């Protein structure tokens, strides 16, 4: 799984040089997919999501012919599969000059995501972890804009137990591998999501991702 994460992060870094005015979501998704397959000899864990601008308000958007415009966000959610094990990561970028509200939203998601990664351990339940992360977003006034669960287990499948949501009353156990991926989605404007993979250990969790959480302006 660590190798799958490394492949994903390297593919994302290598693809960012292709981001330019007018590129389509589908073209950028194809670039990432091609790097995973041809440069790093891995497979895709699932269909790559690339969304620009208002399309990013839909967390499950399918890349299409939408072209990138100036002053738009870019959300990329993707993963590779290496020796059957999956990775799954999301990063949000901005092409141009973000406004103050976007910066506030980005920092809110970043704080919630990092807090979730820091709190993940075998001493809490999926429900408790979901609540910690969700509270940060709610206190910033965007609770209604966080429209999916906080995360899920990952391994041989890209989505599997344990789930980080309001229904999971079971504590994590050492060896669980989970994603933590809060998001805020503003209809017809933009969206922000950040996602990492965390390994649960006895005394806490280890974030297996190394890609920066700081907002990158492309």
């Amino acid at each position: 799984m660590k190798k799958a994460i490394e492949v994903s992060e390297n593919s994302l870094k290598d693809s960012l040089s292709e981001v330019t005015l007018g590129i389509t979501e589908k073209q950028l998704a194809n670039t990432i997919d091609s790097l995973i397959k041809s440069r790093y000899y891995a497979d895709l864990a699932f269909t790559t999501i690339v969304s620009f601008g208002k399309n990013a308000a839909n967390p499950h958007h399918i890349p299409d012919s939408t072209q990138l415009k100036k002053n738009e966000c870019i959300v990329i959610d993707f993963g590779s599969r290496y020796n059957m094990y999956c990775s799954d990561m999301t990063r949000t970028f901005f092409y141009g000059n973000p406004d103050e509200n976007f910066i506030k939203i980005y920092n809110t998601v970043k704080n919630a995501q990092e807090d979730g990664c820091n709190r993940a351990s075998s001493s809490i339940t999926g429900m408790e972890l979901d609540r910690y992360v969700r509270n940060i977003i709610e206190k910033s006034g965007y609770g209604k804009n966080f429209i999916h669960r906080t995360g899920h287990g990952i391994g041989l499948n890209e989505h599997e137990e344990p789930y980080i949501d309001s229904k999971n009353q079971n504590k994590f156990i050492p060896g669980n591998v989970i994603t933590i991926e809060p998001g805020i989605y503003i209809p017809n404007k933009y969206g922000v999501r950040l996602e990492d993979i965390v390994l649960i250990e006895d005394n806490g969790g280890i974030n297996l991702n190394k890609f920066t959480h700081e907002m990158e302006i492309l």
Side-chain angles (χ1 to χ4, degrees):
M1 189 174 291
K2 288 181 178 179
K3 181 63 176 180
I5 292 170
E6 179 185 337
V7 166
S8 293
E9 295 194 330
N10 287 340
S11 298
L12 180 57
K13 290 175 185 176
D14 294 344
S15 71
L16 295 181
S17 62
E18 301 297 317
V19 175
T20 186
L21 187 69
I23 191 173
T24 69
E25 294 171 340
K26 190 65 176 175
Q27 287 172 330
L28 183 54
N30 287 342
T31 295
I32 296 169
D33 293 352
S34 179
L35 287 167
I36 289 172
K37 294 175 182 178
S38 63
R39 183 173 295 180
Y40 298 105
Y41 307 104
D43 296 316
L44 303 181
F46 54 90
T47 301
T48 296
I49 295 173
V50 173
S51 50
F52 299 156
K54 64 181 182 180
N55 289 344
N58 174 9
H60 306 294
H61 175 71
I62 298 173
D64 57 28
S65 60
T66 299
Q67 293 181 303
L68 181 63
K69 302 181 183 68
K70 198 70 173 176
N71 300 326
E72 284 191 329
C73 71
I74 303 169
V75 174
I76 301 174
D77 182 352
F78 72 111
S80 64
R81 185 185 295 271
Y82 192 86
N83 283 350
M84 298 188 295
Y85 282 89
C86 297
S87 68
D88 186 0
M89 67 177 289
T90 306
R91 289 295 184 273
T92 300
F93 305 93
F94 204 89
Y95 185 73
N97 299 305
D99 60 33
E100 291 183 5
N101 197 52
F102 182 86
I103 294 172
K104 177 186 176 183
I105 288 172
Y106 187 96
N107 288 331
T108 298
V109 173
K110 177 176 177 289
N111 291 339
Q113 201 270 347
E114 291 178 347
D115 185 71
C117 290
N118 291 334
R119 289 181 182 275
S121 74
S122 58
S123 65
I124 65 172
T125 67
M127 180 173 63
E128 289 170 331
L129 184 54
D130 178 77
R131 177 43 51 193
Y132 284 129
V133 173
R134 205 167 292 276
N135 277 345
I136 292 176
I137 293 177
E138 289 176 352
K139 288 178 181 178
S140 294
Y142 295 104
K144 64 182 176 57
N145 302 104
F146 182 9
I147 55 177
H148 54 71
R149 63 191 172 204
T150 293
H152 55 84
I154 185 169
L156 294 174
N157 297 304
E158 70 271 23
H159 293 91
E160 58 186 39
E161 294 183 345
Y163 295 106
I164 300 90
D165 59 25
S166 61
K167 299 178 181 179
N168 183 5
Q169 300 182 43
N170 297 317
K171 288 186 176 181
F172 299 109
I173 60 174
N176 282 156
V177 184
I178 62 173
T179 71
I180 298 178
E181 50 178 304
I184 293 175
Y185 309 93
I186 310 300
N188 297 313
K189 293 190 71 174
Y190 39 60
V192 174
R193 182 165 68 259
L194 297 173
E195 176 184 18
D196 288 327
I197 291 176
V198 174
L199 169 64
I200 301 295
E201 294 195 326
D202 287 318
N203 298 316
I206 298 177
N207 190 331
L208 301 181
N209 285 85
K210 296 180 172 57
F211 202 103
T212 183
H213 293 155
E214 299 302 318
M215 184 168 65
E216 294 193 52
I217 308 297
L218 304 180

